[in-house]
């Protein structure tokens, strides 16, 4: 008789996998690590997920869906644009703190199979829109913010939010040369304040 899969066991595996992938990344993680963290044997883990790529895909799809959820703040036209951008930055930095391997995995997925990645993105978006550029253009037309290159603003904003997590291994090493420690000299709150300053400096009409 075929064993039935238990939802609580599957959730326990997914929580453990997220923790292990966050610590070691896709290539450094082992199925045994995930099994040990979940408190189950490796055979049971393989019964639920055949390999770590399948398991990571599940984590990745959930993360992608949550990523697009953060951008919904731009749909709230009752809030000033700057407040919406601040709110988005706070949410997306918290997201990257939870999924620090996300950016690296996205780069890998795009390189390996851009068409499949596109399909995953479309499935995760579920008709959600990312209205940052259009919101900026509307604010420029209304004279609320100065004339800026909206594409470059988006690229710079996203880079400021995700690059510290993407390059954290390099920063951890280089900071030692300055007698600094990543764990004490970097925090998500410091990063948020730094990105807020970029937003203020770029969008202020009284520059």
């Amino acid at each position: 008789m075929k064993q039935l899969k238990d939802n609580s066991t599957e959730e326990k595996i997914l929580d453990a996998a997220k923790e292990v992938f966050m610590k070691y990344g896709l290539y450094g993680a082992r199925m045994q690590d995930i099994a040990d963290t979940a408190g189950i044997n490796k055979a049971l883990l393989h019964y639920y997920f055949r390999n770590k790529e399948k398991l990571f895909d599940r984590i990745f799809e959930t993360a992608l869906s949550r990523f697009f959820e953060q951008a919904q703040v731009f749909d709230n036209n009752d809030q000033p644009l700057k407040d919406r951008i601040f709110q988005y930055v706070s949410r997306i930095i918290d997201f990257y703190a939870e999924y620090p391997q996300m950016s690296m995995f996205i780069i890998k997925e795009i390189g390996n199979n851009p068409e499949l990645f596109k399909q995953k993105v479309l499935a995760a978006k579920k008709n959600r829109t990312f209205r940052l550029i259009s919101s900026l253009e509307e604010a420029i037309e209304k004279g609320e913010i100065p004339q800026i290159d909206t594409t470059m603003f988006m690229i710079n904003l996203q880079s400021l939010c995700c690059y510290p997590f993407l390059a954290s291994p390099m920063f951890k090493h280089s900071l030692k040369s300055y007698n600094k420690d990543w764990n004490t000299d970097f925090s998500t709150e410091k990063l948020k304040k730094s990105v807020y300053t970029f937003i203020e400096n770029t969008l202020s009409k009284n520059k």
Side-chain angles (χ1 to χ4, degrees):
M1 183 176 176
K2 188 175 180 180
Q3 180 181 353
L4 295 177
K5 291 184 177 179
D6 177 65
N7 287 338
S8 63
T9 300
E10 184 169 306
E11 286 302 315
K12 188 191 298 183
I13 290 170
L14 291 171
D15 287 342
K18 179 180 164 187
E19 180 181 336
V20 172
F21 285 133
M22 184 173 69
K23 186 174 181 181
Y24 299 108
L26 172 61
Y27 302 106
R30 299 180 306 136
M31 290 293 270
Q32 188 64 60
D33 296 328
I34 296 169
D36 291 344
T37 303
I40 61 174
N41 61 57
K42 195 173 176 182
L44 184 59
L45 175 59
H46 279 287
Y47 172 71
Y48 279 81
F49 296 94
R50 284 178 296 172
N51 53 56
K52 70 175 182 179
E53 285 76 19
K54 293 286 185 186
L55 186 48
F56 196 94
D57 269 352
R58 178 73 173 273
I59 302 293
F60 178 64
E61 286 162 8
T62 300
L64 261 184
S65 181
R66 286 191 54 193
F67 174 84
F68 287 112
E69 285 175 9
Q70 314 314 317
Q72 299 314 291
V73 297
F74 296 115
D75 292 336
N76 183 9
N77 292 322
D78 294 333
Q79 276 188 310
L81 177 59
K82 266 199 249 184
D83 290 349
R84 281 180 277 161
I85 299 175
F86 289 153
Q87 190 176 352
Y88 170 74
V89 165
S90 179
R91 289 183 177 187
I92 207 67
I93 287 175
D94 287 342
F95 169 83
Y96 283 126
E98 186 177 356
Y99 295 93
Q101 296 288 332
M102 186 67 165
S103 298
M104 183 62 74
F105 190 73
I106 287 174
I107 292 169
K108 173 185 171 292
E109 285 289 292
I110 293 173
N112 284 351
N113 195 331
E115 188 55 39
L116 179 59
F117 177 76
K118 180 181 176 181
Q119 292 173 15
K120 287 181 179 179
V121 168
L122 289 174
K125 285 179 74 173
K126 297 177 182 175
N127 298 319
R128 300 186 186 108
T129 56
F130 186 72
R131 295 191 61 252
L132 174 57
I133 287 182
S134 59
S135 297
L136 289 166
E137 290 173 345
E138 289 168 10
I140 291 171
E141 287 181 12
K142 293 176 182 177
E144 296 171 351
I145 62 173
Q147 288 283 343
I148 61 169
D149 185 323
T150 55
T151 300
M152 288 309 303
F153 179 86
M154 182 193 73
I155 292 171
N156 288 330
L157 184 71
Q158 298 284 26
S159 300
L160 287 168
C161 291
C162 80
Y163 188 70
F165 299 99
L166 178 64
S168 61
M170 178 184 71
F171 290 138
K172 288 175 183 178
H173 176 74
S174 61
L175 282 173
K176 291 178 182 178
S177 304
Y178 300 96
N179 296 317
K180 292 182 177 292
D181 178 69
W182 172 265
N183 294 324
T184 56
D185 289 289
F186 172 84
S187 72
T188 56
E189 291 309 309
K190 283 184 179 180
L191 179 58
K192 288 176 186 179
K193 288 178 181 177
S194 178
V195 180
Y196 295 161
T197 300
F198 159 74
I199 296 166
E200 285 284 7
N201 289 343
T202 306
L203 300 186
S204 173
K205 292 199 69 178
N206 301 314
K207 294 188 289 183

